[in-house]
Amino acid sequence: MTTNAILAMESVEMMPHVQTKTSAAEAHDARWDAVVARDARRDGDFVFAVSTTGVYCRPSCAARRPRRENVKFFAVPEAAEQAGYRACLRCRPKASSGNAEADTVKAICRFIEQHLDEPVTLGRLAKEFRQSPFQLQRRFKAVLGITPREYADASRLRTLKRSLQAGDSVTTAMYDAGYGSSSRLYERTASQLGMTPDKYRRGAIAATIRYVCTDSPLGRMLIAATDRGICSIQFARKDSELIEGLKREFPFAVRKSDDGGLQKWVEILLHQMRGEDLNSALPLDIRATSFQRRVWTFLQSIPFGATKSYSDVARAIGRPRACRAVARACATNPVAVAIPCHRVVREDGSMGGYRWGMERKKALLALERK
């Protein structure tokens, strides 16, 4: 989970239970009128996206007005980005969200990040932001999908990983990340890292990483594994790119090429990419936040050949407003195909994003649908 991730609220097109069709149409007409009039008073109330340019803007944007049929409306910029649009460089619609609740949650996140070395309790946050503890936690979880404490844990882990990967000692990384003692550090992080911090610092040198590069229907593929299971599945045009990607994740590791030992897993993945649902459970050795784990577990339950939208996944894990976080969890999936993030598409059925490229996503879905 990225520490700057603030989740998008649902697009107005994705909330039929809030409005009748008539009132929704009236709301859209009012928004379009504001766009045509370049009404600055509506800045922050919504953004509009243009399908022909792939850009979203605030209502007062000075750019040439698009055709009405090419426009979609979103409650917040994050929802437009989750749908695949990028911010206008002219009007800069993210300069102010206009959403008081989301802005407050952002401020809480920044406060937590700046005080990782202190006990930031729910009571302290409530006093700092002048809310009751119950209200603050409920609103924070509604926007981010996790509690303030879980966010603090994820922030500490992210800081710890960066320090260890940079070569800092475990002690230095421990205090930089806000862990008060080595016992607390090992207790809280060993399971999240998938190994002890000192092993992670050495790039999992104690758990030797074996890898193999092979041809696949999607180009060159790398499969890497520890003794516990597969830790990375990547795609690229050539082997040098694959090996460099593995090195970035485990910068100090002893990486050993191993064609024979990984061949069984290679064959399972190749069969699946060719459209054969083998129902083979591959052993995985991956690190995840609690939110990522919930998302990835649900993705593995999506039937072969089927797809779900980002909002479907968010609702299924009990976080209906966490579409943006679901998209981020898909984008950070370290084991392509084994965790089928390619089966998640946009609400309108279009492809959405994919870490390994849109053509590979289309090819995977086409193979599964045969």
Side-chain angles (χ1 to χ4, degrees), residues 24-262:
E26 291 172 349
H28 285 201
D29 288 342
R31 288 171 170 82
W32 175 243
D33 290 343
V35 170
V36 172
R38 294 185 171 87
D39 189 350
R41 294 173 298 178
R42 300 301 303 275
D43 287 353
D45 291 349
F46 67 93
V47 296
F48 71 94
V50 185
S51 59
T52 53
T53 63
V55 170
Y56 70 90
C57 306
R58 63 176 71 202
S60 65
C61 183
R64 182 179 177 181
R65 299 293 86 171
R67 295 172 64 90
R68 175 63 183 87
E69 59 267 26
N70 297 328
V71 171
K72 287 186 177 182
F73 299 105
F74 296 90
V76 291
E78 290 82 359
E81 291 181 358
Q82 189 271 327
Y85 296 95
R86 64 185 186 277
C88 173
L89 296 177
R90 186 169 186 173
C91 68
R92 300 185 181 277
K94 292 191 73 175
S96 174
S97 71
N99 186 294
E101 187 172 86
D103 287 343
T104 298
V105 171
K106 288 181 183 180
I108 294 172
C109 289
R110 300 297 84 76
F111 184 87
I112 291 172
E113 292 163 9
Q114 293 164 10
H115 298 83
L116 290 177
D117 58 340
E118 304 171 23
V120 182
T121 63
L122 192 59
R124 181 179 176 184
L125 290 174
K127 183 178 180 180
E128 182 74 25
F129 291 92
R130 299 182 180 180
Q131 300 181 38
S132 73
F134 172 78
Q135 287 179 323
L136 186 143
Q137 173 137 310
R138 180 175 61 82
R139 291 171 178 169
F140 191 95
K141 195 169 184 178
V143 175
L144 277 186
I146 57 176
T147 65
R149 180 176 180 177
E150 290 173 323
Y151 184 86
D153 287 343
S155 298
R156 288 192 184 94
L157 181 64
R158 179 170 176 265
T159 302
L160 177 75
K161 288 177 66 176
R162 282 184 171 178
S163 297
L164 294 175
Q165 289 179 339
D168 291 344
S169 70
V170 173
T171 301
T172 298
M174 175 183 74
Y175 288 112
D176 284 348
Y179 293 97
S181 66
S182 58
S183 60
R184 179 176 172 82
L185 170 69
Y186 280 79
E187 173 190 347
R188 299 295 297 274
T189 64
S191 61
Q192 293 171 313
L193 287 172
M195 60 197 75
T196 59
D198 56 331
K199 289 179 181 178
Y200 188 87
R201 178 184 178 274
R202 299 194 301 271
I205 191 170
T208 302
I209 295 176
R210 298 168 293 130
Y211 71 90
V212 60
C213 297
T214 185
D215 284 323
S216 79
L218 307 180
R220 294 297 287 175
M221 176 177 68
L222 176 142
I223 300 175
T226 67
D227 291 338
R228 293 184 178 184
I230 296 174
C231 61
S232 182
I233 301 174
Q234 305 179 22
F235 296 103
R237 292 174 299 175
K238 50 189 179 180
D239 292 0
S240 60
E241 295 175 0
L242 293 170
I243 296 171
E244 182 61 28
L246 185 63
K247 183 179 179 181
R248 282 196 297 269
E249 178 63 15
F250 297 99
F252 308 109
V254 174
R255 296 171 295 278
K256 296 183 178 180
S257 177
D258 183 0
D259 295 346
L262 301 176

